[in-house]
Amino acid sequence: MYGGEFDGNAAFAGGGFMPSQATTQAHDSSSSLKNRDVRTLLPLTLKQLSSASTTGESNFSIDGVDINTVAIVGRISRMENRITQVEFVVDDGTGWVDCVRWCQERQETEEMEAVKLGMYVRLHGHLKIFQGKRSVNVFSIRPVTDFNEIVHHFTECMYVHMYNTKLRGGSITQATTTPRPQMPYSTMPTPAKPYQTGPSNQFPNQFNDPMHGVKQTVLNYLNQPMHLVSEAGVHCDIIARDLRIPLPQVKDALEQLSNDGCIYSTMDETCFKSTANA
């Protein structure tokens, strides 16, 4: 799964760990990892993706392995449909990344129609960098229907990291410890992402509540440290502007969050504050 010729069907079908494939070419030639024709699929957290070293706009490596194709599992926290592509942000609890899916064929369009704001997804794509900003050019994406797949992905990321840094001959010293991945439902702020997604019981509801994604995004925004310490709260117009979500949707989300006891109004039903530190 982690090296050799990339098989999209096999990758999306699931399965166990196959570390021997990660170094098939490595045993054949000492310079094989530098061969850009080898298509390597690596499961990564977004924290790992952001820390990958680069020597150009498309040459990345982590743990001594060149990155060509990445596998990511996370929640869509922002989404914008355009004429020929869909631009969205994926957040996995350790960080976030901008993604783009070009929709020039019918199959590509139908694939994106199955993906909604707030859903957890599994995607494969190419890591790019432009003007210092990293993004993923997605060529395959699907909704996650089993929460266990999220846990499996994080476990897989740890396993591959350990294999590449400790078990593959011991010659790589770039990383010596395995970072502890934060679960996507963690509410603790991190340097990579100042706010995270909500409680773990959100997963079964996201397919039934059309407002789930918007509500969670608004709540995440209000749970940022700078808003938690503010006594006045945040005006709904500012929330809509910063999140680039239509104001009516923001107001609906604020009303539902208020009814759920997650937030409260501080001024004339226009400024709101999270109850997280109340």
Side-chain angles (χ1 to χ4, degrees):
M1 182 181 294
Y2 312 120
E5 289 301 315
F6 169 64
D7 184 348
N9 292 331
F12 269 73
F17 301 114
M18 301 176 64
S20 60
Q21 297 181 14
T23 54
T24 301
Q25 280 75 24
H27 295 306
D28 295 338
S29 172
S30 61
S31 61
S32 60
L33 289 177
K34 301 302 180 182
N35 183 0
R36 299 300 174 181
D37 293 331
V38 176
R39 303 185 64 187
T40 305
L41 172 66
L42 282 179
L44 295 176
T45 68
L46 294 179
K47 179 177 175 61
Q48 289 177 308
L49 185 146
S50 65
S51 63
S53 59
T54 178
T55 56
E57 292 188 359
S58 59
N59 299 332
F60 297 88
S61 65
I62 188 170
D63 298 334
V65 177
D66 290 346
I67 301 174
N68 181 276
T69 304
V70 295
I72 296 171
V73 174
R75 188 181 67 89
I76 296 181
S77 60
R78 184 177 300 167
M79 195 172 191
E80 185 173 354
N81 293 292
R82 299 187 180 275
I83 297 177
T84 58
Q85 79 269 20
V86 178
E87 299 175 357
F88 54 97
V89 175
V90 171
D91 181 350
D92 72 350
T94 70
W96 59 273
V97 68
D98 289 316
C99 302
V100 60
R101 177 64 157 113
W102 295 93
C103 301
Q104 299 175 338
E105 303 291 339
R106 180 178 178 181
Q107 179 181 357
E108 297 168 341
T109 301
E110 292 176 347
E111 186 177 79
M112 285 308 302
E113 288 176 349
V115 175
K116 307 297 181 183
L117 181 66
M119 277 187 175
Y120 282 93
V121 297
R122 177 179 178 88
L123 64 86
H124 292 167
H126 299 297
L127 180 59
K128 303 291 183 182
I129 186 170
F130 180 70
Q131 295 182 343
K133 184 176 182 180
R134 300 186 181 196
S135 62
V136 176
N137 189 1
V138 178
F139 59 79
S140 190
I141 184 173
R142 64 169 173 79
V144 171
T145 57
D146 185 348
F147 194 83
N148 290 325
E149 185 172 354
I150 302 174
V151 180
H152 177 273
H153 174 75
F154 275 83
T155 306
E156 190 175 30
C157 291
M158 289 189 290
Y159 181 89
V160 174
H161 168 76
M162 288 293 294
Y163 182 85
N164 288 333
T165 57
K166 292 181 177 295
L167 304 180
R168 201 183 58 187
S171 61
I172 298 174
T173 59
Q174 177 178 338
T176 57
T177 59
T178 302
R180 180 183 178 184
Q182 299 185 21
M183 293 306 297
Y185 47 81
S186 171
T187 58
M188 294 299 293
T190 65
K193 184 70 173 170
Y195 57 95
Q196 307 297 335
T197 55
S200 58
N201 62 1
Q202 69 173 327
F203 188 76
N205 297 331
Q206 66 178 337
F207 302 107
N208 302 322
D209 183 2
M211 283 294 293
H212 171 80
V214 177
K215 287 195 300 183
Q216 193 60 58
T217 301
V218 171
L219 183 58
N220 290 342
Y221 177 85
L222 292 175
N223 279 336
Q224 294 184 65
M226 64 179 181
H227 298 319
L228 289 176
V229 299
S230 172
E231 295 295 334
V234 186
H235 197 280
C236 59
D237 290 340
I238 297 177
I239 298 174
R241 181 197 66 192
D242 290 350
L243 297 179
R244 291 188 287 183
I245 298 176
L247 182 59
Q249 292 187 31
V250 170
K251 288 184 175 180
D252 288 343
L254 290 169
E255 180 179 358
Q256 293 183 36
L257 289 170
S258 180
N259 293 336
D260 293 340
C262 298
I263 64 173
Y264 62 95
S265 174
T266 61
M267 184 184 302
D268 300 330
E269 301 296 329
T270 58
C271 294
F272 294 86
K273 182 175 173 61
S274 171
T275 59
N277 66 339

